């Protein structure tokens, strides 16, 4: 298989725009050349031939010789004759966007046909949010050493996030979901029946491993089964269900004031979604992309039929086949993530989650009751529930904007709003003129911060990462990025209150604001726009074959 070679100036940020090009018939095939801008990008050997044995099908950003690959993979029978439509890719090293001028080629089943499967997968996201939020109220009744009990969950999640990538590659996405339900259910049971802090910590550790696996697995599975035209909206549904889980935990904590033993019921409730996850996932199809990578072509066809309808199977399989050069390579190992070929995109994924956590979101969620209490707010649990509601509302809005405004613009807007909110909170604790209104300002600033977070910084990283990572490294790269997420989460959960006691809440909030501003500059220079592009198109653009 022939491949074009590119010399690119700058970092990962570059712009790919597609335009239709008139093809010339040369001998027995068609030839075309890549449209290239004048800003530092050259192509070598950019003319490629598509032979007539491919039945004239073509619709990818890069033209490659497909006949031998299709025959080798045994999918010739799927490719009916049709008129070839070609698109060119222009790469501009300084822009930073992937632009799609056309997304009208989809046919077959309604895109909504994948919603039940996305909903089942997002039970893992609900459990993610629930186990994070339940510590806000319940654990105050369990242990004076709240920081360590919180951080036990995060330590388990760090382990789980790395484990999830390996399991997903080895056993597939569906079987990994089924395995993930075990620590989630057992951990919740141990927490609900715990008679000592040690038992509680073991239960929290198992829950952490479970949500660590699901944190990597849910966005991976959802991105791989979602149709291109609604992948942004469905990807942000993951974050929406996390928010719903957090809100559910906060609301579930309301009876604690009248019944100190209510915390057992709170943990026991978490067993129900774990059981539903097993039952629902038993009826869900495996990811066609994973099946194709394993050489299970017939199974991939069946999964694609269940997800998108029979009419759309040829299109899906053609996209997968055109990216087969990545699948023909040996399975990527962990060290491959740090190679020159992949490190640029992998570092972007890790950086996004690092900024997300260092901007302070989980510190706000974990300790919102303490912050509101110190600000003089009477009903701290109710105030935290208000934060959870803002999270849900903001994420719902983000879902509707994801495929319209794009990922990058939402990220920048989100971090700017978070920086502004943190500056407001910092001033409320230091400016004497605002002291009489410190309580309402603390609640308002926190709600605005969470609302801004949920518009971009929350949902976009988990959506963007599976999009920009090549299929060969996708599961492991997502796991590595989530490992960064949980490791920084662990440190914040363990030391946040100590740092606040030493430096004061005002300076801590100011530090969060500075992180948000740094994130804006980093995103502007390094993050690509991926809306409207299939995963295969993005992979061919960001990870040309070597």
């Amino acid at each position: 298989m022939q491949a074009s070679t590119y010399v690119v100036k700058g970092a990962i940020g570059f712009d790919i725009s597609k335009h239709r090009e008139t093809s010339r018939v040369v001998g027995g095939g068609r030839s075309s050349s890549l449209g290239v801008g004048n800003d530092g990008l050259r192509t070598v050997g950019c003319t490629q031939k598509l032979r007539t044995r491919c039945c004239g099908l073509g619709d990818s950003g890069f033209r490659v010789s497909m006949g031998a690959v299709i025959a080798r993979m045994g999918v010739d029978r799927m490719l009916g004759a049709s008129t070839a439509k070609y698109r060119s890719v222009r790469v501009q090293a300084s822009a930073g966007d992937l632009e799609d001028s056309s997304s009208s080629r989809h046919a077959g089943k309604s895109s909504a046909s994948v919603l039940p499967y996305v909903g089942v997968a997002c039970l893992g996201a609900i459990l993610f949010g629930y186990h994070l939020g339940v510590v806000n109220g319940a654990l105050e009744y369990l242990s004076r050493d709240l920081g360590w009990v919180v951080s036990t969950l995060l330590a388990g999640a760090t382990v789980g996030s790395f484990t999830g990538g390996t399991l997903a590659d080895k056993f597939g996405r569906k079987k990994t979901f089924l395995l993930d339900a075990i620590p989630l259910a057992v951990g919740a049971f141990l927490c609900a029946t715990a008679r000592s802090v040690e038992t509680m910590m073991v239960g929290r550790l198992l829950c952490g491993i479970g949500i660590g696996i699901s944190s990597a697995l849910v966005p991976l599975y959802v991105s791989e089964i979602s149709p291109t035209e609604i992948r942004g909206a469905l990807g942000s549904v993951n974050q929406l269900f996390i928010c719903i889980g957090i809100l559910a935990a906060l609301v579930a904590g309301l009876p604690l004031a009248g019944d100190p033993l209510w915390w057992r019921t709170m943990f026991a409730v978490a067993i129900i979604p774990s059981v539903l996850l097993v039952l629902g996932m038993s009826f869900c199809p495996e990811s066609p992309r994973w099946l194709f990578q394993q050489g299970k072509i017939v199974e991939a066809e069946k999964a694609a039929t269940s997800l998108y309808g029979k009419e759309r199977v040829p299109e899906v399989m053609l996209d997968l086949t055109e990216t087969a050069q990545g699948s023909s390579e040996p399975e990527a190992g962990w060290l491959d993530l740090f190679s020159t070929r992949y490190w640029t995109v992998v570092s972007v994924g890790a950086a996004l989650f690092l900024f997300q956590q260092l901007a302070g979101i989980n510190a706000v969620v974990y300790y919102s009751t303490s912050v509101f209490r110190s600000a003089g707010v009477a009903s701290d649990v109710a105030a935290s529930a208000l934060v959870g509601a803002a999270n849900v509302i903001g994420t719902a809005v983000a879902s509707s904007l994801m495929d319209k405004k794009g990922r990058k613009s939402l990220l920048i807007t989100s971090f700017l709003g978070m920086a502004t909110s943190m500056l407001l909170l910092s001033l409320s604790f230091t400016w004497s003129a605002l002291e009489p209104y410190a309580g309402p300002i603390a609640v308002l600033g926190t709600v605005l911060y969470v609302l801004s977070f949920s518009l971009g910084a929350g949902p976009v990283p988990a959506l963007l990462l599976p999009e920009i990572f090549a299929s060969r490294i996708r599961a492991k790269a997502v796991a590595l990025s989530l490992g960064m997420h949980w490791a920084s989460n662990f440190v914040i959960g363990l030391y946040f209150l100590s740092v606040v006691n030493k430096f004061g809440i005002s300076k801590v909030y100011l530090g969060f604001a500075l992180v948000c501003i740094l994130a804006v500059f980093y995103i502007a220079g390094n993050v690509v726009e991926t809306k409207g592009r299939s995963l295969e198109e993005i992979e061919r653009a960001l990870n040309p074959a070597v």
Side-chain angles (χ1 to χ4, degrees):
M1 178 174 292
Q2 190 178 5
S4 297
T5 304
Y6 300 92
V7 181
V8 183
K9 293 169 62 178
I12 186 176
F14 58 86
D15 198 357
I16 295 183
S17 59
K18 297 184 288 186
H19 62 277
R20 300 215 177 260
E21 178 182 304
T22 303
S23 301
R24 297 180 292 109
V25 179
V26 181
R30 296 179 183 270
S31 68
S32 59
S33 59
L34 297 173
V36 182
N38 297 319
D39 45 4
L41 182 70
R42 304 192 306 274
T43 64
V44 180
C46 57
T47 300
Q48 303 198 4
K49 296 181 180 179
L50 182 64
R51 300 190 181 278
T52 55
R53 65 191 289 187
C54 290
C55 308
L57 276 178
D59 195 17
S60 68
F62 295 98
R63 258 79 73 200
V64 295
S65 178
M66 293 298 301
V69 175
I70 295 173
R72 176 172 57 85
M73 300 305 292
V75 294
D76 278 353
R77 57 190 171 82
M78 298 178 54
L79 303 181
S82 66
T83 303
K85 295 182 180 180
Y86 292 90
R87 284 179 292 180
S88 297
V89 177
R90 182 179 60 194
V91 184
Q92 295 179 325
S94 60
D97 293 325
L98 288 166
E99 297 175 340
D100 188 8
S101 62
S102 174
S103 60
S104 60
R105 63 191 177 109
H106 308 290
K109 264 188 184 181
S110 167
S111 297
S113 62
V114 302
L115 292 181
Y117 310 124
V118 172
V120 170
C122 284
L123 287 171
I126 290 179
L127 287 164
F128 180 167
Y130 190 86
H131 282 296
L132 284 179
V134 77
V135 302
N136 206 313
L139 294 187
E140 292 189 42
Y141 294 83
L142 306 177
S143 173
R144 295 178 181 178
D145 199 359
L146 177 61
W148 278 108
V149 177
V150 170
S151 295
T152 300
L153 177 84
L154 305 180
T158 303
V159 175
S161 64
F162 286 108
T163 306
T166 302
L167 292 175
D169 274 343
K170 184 175 181 61
F171 299 110
R173 287 42 167 157
K174 179 177 178 176
K175 288 183 179 178
T176 304
F177 270 114
L178 299 176
L179 292 172
D180 186 35
I182 297 174
L184 287 170
V186 174
F189 176 79
L190 289 177
C191 291
T193 58
R195 299 294 177 182
S196 65
V197 173
E198 290 76 17
T199 304
M200 172 62 67
M201 293 179 71
V202 171
R204 295 294 284 170
L205 182 66
L206 288 174
C207 290
I209 292 173
I211 68 172
I213 294 173
S214 64
S215 68
L217 189 59
V218 174
L220 178 65
Y221 180 74
V222 171
S223 69
E224 289 188 341
I225 69 170
S226 297
T228 300
E229 62 270 23
I230 58 171
R231 191 178 63 241
L234 293 185
S236 58
V237 166
N238 172 51
Q239 181 68 19
L240 177 62
F241 276 91
I242 293 174
C243 299
I244 290 174
I246 294 174
L247 179 60
L250 294 174
V251 172
L254 293 176
L256 278 170
D259 182 6
L261 294 179
W262 179 254
W263 60 268
R264 294 190 183 276
T265 303
M266 293 174 64
F267 284 112
V269 165
I271 299 174
I272 299 175
S274 303
V275 175
L276 292 177
L277 179 62
V278 172
L279 296 176
M281 193 53 64
S282 300
F283 297 96
C284 291
E286 179 56 85
S287 164
R289 289 176 170 85
W290 181 82
L291 290 170
F292 190 90
Q293 287 176 318
Q294 306 305 307
K296 300 178 180 180
I297 308 303
V298 175
E299 290 90 336
E301 292 177 34
K302 292 179 180 178
T305 302
S306 298
L307 290 166
Y308 317 117
K310 186 179 298 184
E311 300 87 348
R312 198 163 173 176
V313 171
E315 173 194 330
V316 172
M317 297 304 292
L318 178 62
D319 271 344
L320 293 174
T321 306
E322 287 178 336
T323 318
Q325 62 265 35
S327 301
S328 64
E329 298 179 79
E331 182 180 348
W334 286 101
L335 292 180
D336 290 322
L337 303 183
F338 303 94
S339 65
T340 304
R341 179 181 178 185
Y342 294 121
W343 174 243
T344 304
V345 290
V346 171
S347 64
V348 168
L352 284 178
F353 274 114
L354 183 62
F355 279 123
Q356 183 194 70
Q357 294 306 303
L358 293 182
I361 179 59
N362 282 315
V364 171
V365 172
Y366 292 151
Y367 300 106
S368 57
T369 54
S370 300
V371 170
F372 289 139
R373 190 182 299 117
S374 67
V377 178
S379 179
D380 47 15
V381 176
S384 293
L386 179 62
V387 169
N391 208 354
V392 172
I393 294 171
T395 306
V397 173
S399 297
S400 66
L401 297 177
M402 199 69 67
D403 290 309
K404 298 177 181 177
K405 300 299 182 181
R407 287 65 154 152
K408 185 174 181 177
S409 61
L410 287 179
L411 273 175
I412 292 175
T413 302
S414 176
F415 276 106
L416 284 174
M418 291 159 64
T420 302
S421 301
M422 280 301 181
L423 287 174
L424 176 63
L425 283 167
S426 181
L427 288 175
S428 71
F429 287 99
T430 56
W431 198 2
S432 57
L434 297 176
E435 186 174 351
Y437 314 103
I441 291 177
V443 175
L444 177 63
T446 302
V447 170
L448 289 177
Y449 173 88
V450 172
L451 187 63
S452 298
F453 173 87
S454 62
L455 286 175
V460 170
L463 165 65
L464 187 65
L465 266 55
E467 293 182 327
I468 65 175
F469 293 149
S471 57
R472 180 172 178 255
I473 65 165
R474 185 172 293 138
K476 288 185 175 67
V478 169
L480 178 66
S481 300
L482 266 298
M484 177 66 70
H485 164 94
W486 288 115
S488 54
N489 205 330
F490 174 84
V491 174
I492 292 172
L494 187 59
Y495 295 110
F496 174 70
L497 287 183
S498 300
V499 172
V500 169
N501 291 333
K502 183 174 182 179
F503 297 101
I505 190 65
S506 176
K507 290 183 179 179
V508 172
Y509 281 155
L510 184 61
F512 288 151
L514 292 176
V515 170
C516 293
I517 294 172
L518 288 175
V520 169
F521 287 106
Y522 179 85
I523 292 165
N526 295 277
V527 174
V528 301
E529 183 55 73
T530 59
K531 67 173 181 176
R533 303 298 298 276
S534 73
L535 297 182
E536 287 69 37
E537 289 173 326
I538 298 169
E539 176 172 346
R540 289 189 292 270
L542 296 180
N543 302 278
V546 293

